[in-house]
Amino acid sequence: MGLMDKKVALVTGAGSGIGRESALALAREGASVCISDVNVQGGEATAQTIIDNGGKAIFIKCDVTNKDEVEAMVKATVDTFGKLDAAVNNAGISGSQVTRVHDTDDAIFDQIMAINVKGVWLCMRAELQYMIEQGAGSIVNIASVAGLIGAPKAAAYSASKHAVVGLTKSAAVEYAKMGLRVNAICPGYTETPMVTEITEVDPRMKELTVRAIPMKRLGQPTEIAEAVVWLGSDAASFVTGHELVLDGGLTAT
Ligand code: NAP
């Protein structure tokens, strides 16, 4: 018996990295999963892996900045699988931002905010409509340790993730009495394309990053996925408004 038996989950940005591993772990625990992403090839590959392993999955192309697409994604999940138990709002970008505030283009700030903040906002709103009707549901927003502390040369990204933590806590309190839970996960540096795109260009960056992490390594997306499953499942039934840090000890120093 898996933690997500007979449950239905939705994961945005599930074509790569943390989103993909979260979708695979949710399916491993028994969930039927809606995989969504702008990256069609990656999203279809995740869904196919679940199906090949005997699970149930659909892929829905969705840009989280597009309200109509977000509403259609949630509707397709409920139409296909009958309900929505766990929603993982994971899609996000770093904007490849490694610039100081005064050197950062407004366009990059706007793009990061549109995907990381408005995207989570639109997804939460659409998911909550169904969860309120059901009187149950768990939302897991993927924030970052940059949502808890400052991130030099990534101020826009850090601001966007602080906003995700604020959205999470506010909604957690608003819907607690209705039986809904809303939590955030704050990963530290995790070895996904988002990070390897930067460390491949500047290997010294990886060296410096690893040196700052007490465990002396980057996290793996599979490690973040285990926390997603736990918060998404009834095993975390008394947990809401929490920001769960998985960072190899980085923010403990
Ligand atoms: P990733 O490997 O780049 O995966 C992100 C996925 O989201 C990609 O498939 C990407 O598609 C998709 N995406 C981008 N914009 C989208 C949009 N507008 N609508 C829907 N999907 C979109 O990144 P990751 O490292 O797994 O990151 C996942 C989440 O974890 C993000 O919210 C990130 O901020 C957060 N996080 C990551 C780390 C880390 O160290 N990796 C640490 C803390 C928090 P494309 O590839 O086509 O852009």
Side-chain angles (χ1 to χ4, degrees), residues 16 18 37 62-64 90 142-143 157 161 187-188 190 192-195:
S16 175
I18 292 169
D37 206 301
C62 171
D63 177 342
V64 296
N90 160 81
I142 307 300
Y157 180 76
K161 294 302 187 176
T190 307
T192 70
M194 180 184 282
V195 163

Side-chain angles (χ1 to χ4, degrees), residues 12-19 36-39 62-65 89-94 115-116 142-145 157 161 186-195:
T12 68
S16 175
I18 292 169
S36 106
D37 206 301
V38 282
N39 172 353
C62 171
D63 177 342
V64 296
T65 66
N89 299 318
N90 160 81
I93 59 162
S94 69
I115 298 173
N116 295 7
I142 307 300
S144 168
V145 289
Y157 180 76
K161 294 302 187 176
C186 297
Y189 294 98
T190 307
E191 212 155 12
T192 70
M194 180 184 282
V195 163

Side-chain angles (χ1 to χ4, degrees), residues 37 100 106 119 129 132 139 154 171-172 182 186 188 197 201 218 222 234 237 244 246-247:
D37 206 301
R100 289 182 295 175
D106 290 346
Q129 314 281 357
I132 289 166
I139 291 178
V182 188
C186 297
E197 269 161 24
V201 178
L218 302 184
T222 48
D234 294 340
S237 53
L244 181 55
L246 294 92
D247 69 350

Side-chain angles (χ1 to χ4, degrees), residues 134-179:
Q134 292 170 177
S138 170
I139 291 178
V140 182
N141 293 325
I142 307 300
S144 168
V145 289
L148 304 174
I149 58 173
K153 296 195 178 172
Y157 180 76
S158 176
S160 75
K161 294 302 187 176
H162 275 76
V164 171
V165 172
L167 280 173
T168 301
K169 290 187 174 183
S170 305
V173 176
E174 283 182 27
Y175 299 102
K177 269 194 201 161
M178 296 184 194

